């Protein structure tokens, strides 16, 4: 079964007011989704974000954003450089591949030799 992780690709402290407690210590975090399996590791192009107040530990959802928070979010969203989408195979994949190739080669050899 594949495991999914959200890895942090960028964090920034912003000084906008929290809509809940009106404190000026917010943190914006961008995550990229990675999928891990026994045979491969996949980096997807899915990027998510979260704005959180450092004082009251509440997550600021887009419904509660002020125009100032939206401007700051748009700025940092343009700066985010996610990792390339890629698939990296594990050693187990290559071992299984080599074993399958050996089995096919042995089958072809025995077929051509006529099972003598």
């Amino acid at each position: 079964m594949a495991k999914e992780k959200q890895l942090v690709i960028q964090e920034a402290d912003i000084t906008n007011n929290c809509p809940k407690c009106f404190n000026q210590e917010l943190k914006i975090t961008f995550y990229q989704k990675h999928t891990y399996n026994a045979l491969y590791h996949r980096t997807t192009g899915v990027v998510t974000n979260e704005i959180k107040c450092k004082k009251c530990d509440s997550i600021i959802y887009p419904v509660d954003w002020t125009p100032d928070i939206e401007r700051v979010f748009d700025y940092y969203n343009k700066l985010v450089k996610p990792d390339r989408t890629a698939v990296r195979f594990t050693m187990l994949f290559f071992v299984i591949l080599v074993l399958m190739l050996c089995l096919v080669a042995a089958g072809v050899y025995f077929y051509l030799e006529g099972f003598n």
Side-chain angles (χ1 to χ4, degrees):
M1 175 116 174
K3 284 199 245 178
E4 295 179 356
K5 286 187 181 179
Q6 299 284 343
L7 297 180
V8 175
I9 54 175
Q10 185 176 0
E11 284 185 328
D13 294 327
I14 56 177
T15 57
N16 294 78
N17 289 335
C18 173
K20 309 243 188 228
C21 68
F22 302 106
N23 188 22
Q24 287 190 343
E25 294 181 7
L26 298 177
K27 178 179 266 191
I28 186 168
T29 309
F30 290 93
Y31 301 98
Q32 187 170 18
K33 182 178 170 184
H34 291 255
T35 306
Y36 296 95
N37 195 337
L39 299 176
Y40 65 88
H41 301 278
R42 169 178 265 160
T43 303
T44 63
V46 178
V47 176
T48 58
N49 59 62
E50 178 181 80
I51 298 178
K52 192 171 190 176
C53 179
K54 289 183 179 180
K55 184 175 181 185
C56 65
D57 287 331
S58 62
I59 297 174
I60 313 300
Y61 295 103
V63 173
D64 298 328
W65 288 359
T66 62
D68 293 335
I69 293 175
E70 285 184 32
R71 277 193 296 270
V72 170
F73 171 77
D74 289 339
Y75 172 75
Y76 280 106
N77 196 24
K78 289 178 184 176
L79 291 180
V80 171
K81 300 280 191 245
D83 295 336
R84 287 185 329 157
T85 58
V87 176
R88 288 180 292 283
F89 296 106
T90 62
M91 186 59 80
L92 178 63
F93 174 81
F94 291 114
V95 168
I96 292 172
L97 182 66
V98 167
L99 288 176
M100 294 296 282
L101 288 174
C102 289
L103 286 174
V104 168
V108 169
Y109 175 76
F110 286 128
Y111 177 74
L112 292 177
E113 290 296 319
F115 298 107
N116 289 335

